[in-house]
Every structure is written in C-alpha cells, then in structure tokens.
C-alpha cells in the first residue's frame, strides 16, 4: 500500500453532539491548539451556508477556540480568488460542514482552494469534516446508494473525493441509515479499498502513520475485502442481490482503533 495518510484528520459520521459535552468537536478544538486554535469553517457542502457557518461558529466559540473564520466558497470563482491562499497558512484547523459531498469536490477540485487545502494538510493542519464533509475526505467517495436495502449491484454511485485519505471508502450516518449493504458493494467492486462506516456522533481520528482511533458515542464498522474469495459484483444482471464470500468485518467503539496499513484492530487504552 502507498502513503495512505499524510497528516491529521478527524472524520465525523454526522449528527455529532453540538449542545452537550461536544466530545468530538472539543477533541478537534484541542488538536488545533485549544485557546490558540485558528479554525476555518468550510461551508461549501451546504446550500444554506449562512446557517451552517453560524451553528459551528457558535460551537467552536463555546469550546474556546481562539479565532474562528467562516469561509463560504460556493462557486469555482470563489475558490480561485487570490486571497484564498491564506487557507494554506492561516488556520490550525479546517472543518467541512455537512450537505452534499459532490458540491465540495465539484466546486473545489483543481482550484487554488484545493491546492491550499492540500498544502495545509501537508504542513500539519488538522482537517475535519462531518457527514458529507466526511465522505469527501477519501480518494474515492460515495455520492449515492440505497440505504436500508439489501446489497444490490449497480445501485452504488461513486466519484473522486478530495484525496486526503487514500485507499479507503468512507460512509457516514452508517448504522442509523442502514448503509452496510452499500459499503459492502463498494468494497466488492475494489477489494483493495478499505471500507469505513462511521455512525452518528462518532468519528475516527486519523494519524499520519495511517492508524486511527474511534471517538464518540457509537461505533465504526470496518469492511476489509482483502480476503474475499469470490463475489458476483462484476457479473451480468445488475439489479440482482450481491453475493460476497469471506469478507472481514470489524465493529469498533471508542477505546479501539485500527491500523489501516496492517489491517489490525488496536486497543487504544
């Protein structure tokens, strides 16, 4: 496997606590420097960007972040303005809100903002995202697929993501929306890719050496397809149910982690 991760990521399954202890967002704030944190909120995924920005600005202020900026990049022109280069140098943490992950990649892809984001990531800035912002972190992302249904072939739609975490496929709101079937389809299509399904109010903190730890109140489901013996995903009759043999599944709550290179479960505490 190649260089899966180059920096620090916090990938959140959506619907994280924003009113109580806010454990995940507090962890993110602390990673970014606590009272010295400079957090930039990216609202690109959300059509209602003003509300999304205001909600997270209030949360990060309450959690004690030193400086908070909302960056509303809603067009490719926005993503190419000269001042966008500050994204690479100013923040200690960058946070993507939820919404539509295809908005993130179609607006940012190939722009100055995209380049600045990768520069920030490379120099150690914490990059985080929730819901759609989580799906967009990987090199390939799920953009559509049936939840709460049996796994069926050709019901999954994928597209290139931001490429901050390679060789994985991330799904969010995972158990709450019954998405195990579509993640199994994604892994069956390319068993080299590791499937990571993140529940609501749950996150993975990814380290530069490509291991992660689970944070939050629910669980992370890992679908490892390296040992698959067979599947029917490439056969005719695209609407039939998926058959897949010898796939490995792990379900991990807080206190556990995973080595994505070695494909091994870790006890963190």
């Amino acid at each position: 496997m190649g260089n899966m991760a180059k920096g620090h990521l916090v990938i959140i399954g959506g619907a994280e606590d924003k009113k109580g202890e806010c454990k995940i967002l507090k962890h993110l704030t602390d990673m970014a420097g606590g009272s010295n944190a400079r957090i930039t909120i990216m609202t690109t995924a959300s059509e209602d960007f003003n509300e999304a920005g205001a909600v997270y600005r209030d949360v990060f202020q309450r959690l004690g972040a030193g400086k908070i900026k909302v960056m509303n990049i809603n067009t490719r022109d926005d993503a190419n303005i000269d001042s966008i280069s500050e994204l690479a140098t100013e923040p200690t943490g960058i946070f993507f809100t939820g919404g539509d992950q295809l908005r993130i990649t179609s607006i940012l892809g190939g722009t100055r903002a995209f380049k600045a984001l990768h520069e920030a990531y490379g120099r150690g800035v914490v990059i985080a995202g929730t819901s759609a912002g989580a799906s967009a972190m990987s090199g390939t992302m799920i953009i559509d697929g049936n939840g709460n249904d049996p796994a069926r072939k050709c019901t999954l739609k994928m597209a290139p993501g931001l490429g901050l975490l390679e060789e994985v496929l991330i799904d969010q709101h995972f158990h709450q929306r019954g998405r195990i079937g579509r993640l199994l389809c994604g892994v069956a299509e390319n068993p080299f890719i590791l499937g990571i399904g993140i529940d609501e109010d749950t996150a993975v903190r990814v380290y530069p050496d490509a291991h992660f730890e689970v944070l939050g109140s629910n669980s992370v489901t890992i679908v490892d397809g390296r040992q698959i013996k067979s599947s029917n995903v490439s056969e005719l009759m695209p609407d039939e149910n998926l058959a897949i043999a010898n796939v490995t599944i792990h379900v991990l709550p807080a206190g556990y982690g995973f080595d994505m290179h070695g494909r091994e479960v870790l006890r963190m505490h």
Side-chain angles (χ1 to χ4, degrees), residues 23-24 199 201-204 212-220 251-257 266-269:
K23 288 183 178 179
I24 295 171
D199 289 353
D201 193 38
T202 307
V204 296
F212 68 72
E213 65 176 305
V214 179
L215 310 171
S217 62
N218 289 305
S219 298
V220 171
V251 180
L252 305 177
Y256 286 80
L266 307 171
R267 288 296 297 264
M268 304 302 295
H269 305 293

Side-chain angles (χ1 to χ4, degrees), residues 3 22 31 33 79 82 105 108-109 113 127 130 133 142 187 201 215 244:
N3 192 5
C22 305
M31 286 177 65
D82 291 341
T105 54
L108 298 186
I127 312 292
T130 185
I142 296 173
V187 172
D201 193 38
L215 310 171
I244 185 170

Side-chain angles (χ1 to χ4, degrees), residues 30-48:
D30 290 345
M31 286 177 65
S35 60
N36 294 316
R38 302 185 302 277
I39 296 177
T40 296
I41 300 166
M42 303 282 286
T43 62
T44 307
S46 177
E47 292 188 0
D48 193 355

Side-chain angles (χ1 to χ4, degrees), residues 74-106:
N74 295 302
T75 67
R76 291 182 62 79
D77 285 341
D78 293 343
N80 277 309
I81 60 174
D82 291 341
S83 61
I84 209 72
S85 60
E86 72 182 40
L87 188 65
T89 57
E90 170 63 23
T92 58
I94 297 171
F95 179 81
F96 284 86
T97 66
D100 179 354
Q101 54 266 41
L102 200 53
R103 279 181 56 86
I104 296 175
T105 54
S106 64

Side-chain angles (χ1 to χ4, degrees), residues 217-249:
S217 62
N218 289 305
S219 298
V220 171
T221 301
I222 297 162
V223 178
D224 182 354
R226 284 191 310 174
Q227 303 302 319
I228 289 174
K229 290 186 181 298
S230 65
S231 78
N232 66 349
V233 74
S234 63
E235 298 171 11
L236 297 177
M237 295 184 293
D239 292 329
E240 70 181 349
N241 288 339
L242 176 71
I244 185 170
N246 217 53
V247 66
T248 303
I249 295 179

